Amino acid sequence: MRALSGIQPSGQLHLGNYFGAIRQYLALQDEHEGFYFLANYHALTSVADGKTLRQWTLNLATDYLALGLDPDKATIFLQSDVPEVTELTWILSTVTPMGLLERCHAYKEKTARGLSPNHALFGYPVLQAADILIYQSHLVPVGQDQKQHIEVARDLALKLNNTYGELLTVPEPYILDSTAVVPGIDGQKMSKSYDNAIELFGDEKAVRKRFLSVVTDSTPVADPKDPEQCTVYALFKLFATEEEAAELAAAYRAGGLGYGEVKKRTAQMMLDCFAEARERRQQLAGDPDYVHDVLREGGRRARTEAQKTMERVREATGIPIHYTPTV
Ligand code: ADP
Ligand code: TRP
């Protein structure tokens, strides 16, 4: 089974990215063949500055490695190192009903937030489908917000297969209930673009400060509180064992517990949880050549797989290529 997923290099990695996505990549890389990439073509819909995009791309690749994605187990690569993916996007577009894209929430949400309502943003799910389908992926580990996009990929694989014969594997989303939606400091879904994120590799002081600014209600310290209504408790649960979570829930209900205390404790748990990764990240940041080498090798492997799919797709659709440059 092949697992594939990607993240846009469009800002700093946060807790939602880790618990919603990357932790599953790490769990899957031992049992499955993993393909994990950086969605830089997708990031162009929100980052219109080449220097920034290049820097964020290197940062995200460094983050992947620091968190434990292992180039000996998984293929780690840049979306743009496989330009065939844009070719498949076009071919998939020819079987993409407008209505299917019109129903996608992400376009409406992103334009409402001020992103330019252009063709790339509207067609974004088709490129995402190509990302998944070109590698014949079976499993796609993501957070809940991406579920609809995986359904689009499934629909398009079925449509292309119906039209031209069995060309593409129909993928399944892999979404864990417990971390499907990680809340941000305002209680909404944590996101790079909502200014509510807790950055994974932010400096220690900034991390602690961010936890202190998690929004809570005004129940006095002495009163009983409902843990299930509390964002701090939801964040605490990410790091806690079941017993620790049950103990804290009981303390909430008993009263006498202040939110500030839980915030400080959770910040410390996060710093402990990522202590090793933070150290590794510092080392890797001093060796960008190594990171580029990993991406180069990943790109080679990924492109080889993509070319196999494209040969069959070109053959079936009647789109030949007459000239292949030899370098
Ligand atoms: P963002 O919304 O911050 O831009 P991305 O769209 O780059 O995040 O998401 C990358 C991966 O992280 C996706 O698989 C997405 O589902 C997951 N993810 C992002 N935010 C969250 C969250 N708050 N809870 C759970 N998963 C999330
Ligand atoms: N759209 C995803 C996000 O914003 C990123 C992404 C691009 C992706 N292509 C993908 C995720 C393919 C999984 C599979 O988070």
Side-chain angles (χ1 to χ4, degrees), residues 232-288:
V232 194
Y233 181 71
L235 294 169
F236 175 86
K237 272 206 301 194
L238 297 172
F239 303 101
T241 61
E242 263 180 47
E243 294 83 68
E244 285 169 333
E247 239 171 64
L248 188 68
Y252 263 75
R253 292 194 185 97
L257 177 77
Y259 291 123
E261 197 183 313
V262 191
K263 288 177 181 179
K264 284 186 194 148
R265 189 169 160 201
T266 311
Q268 190 56 51
M269 286 164 101
M270 166 169 167
L271 290 167
D272 291 345
C273 173
F274 293 109
E276 250 177 65
R278 294 164 74 86
E279 213 180 296
R280 241 190 339 257
R281 198 188 184 292
Q282 270 208 331
Q283 288 165 5
L284 286 162
D287 193 0

Side-chain angles (χ1 to χ4, degrees), residues 4-6 8 37 39 42 124 128 131-132 140 142 146:
L4 169 136
S5 197
Q8 298 184 61
F37 70 99
H42 279 105
Y124 182 109
Q128 181 160 350
D131 287 328
I132 298 168
V140 189
V142 284
Q146 295 298 315

Side-chain angles (χ1 to χ4, degrees), residues 7 102 109 137 140 155 185 193 195 215 235 265 272 310 325:
I7 297 180
E102 278 160 1
E109 280 158 25
S137 316
V140 189
D155 271 17
I185 61 169
S193 19
D195 196 22
V215 177
L235 294 169
R265 189 169 160 201
D272 291 345
M310 285 318 295

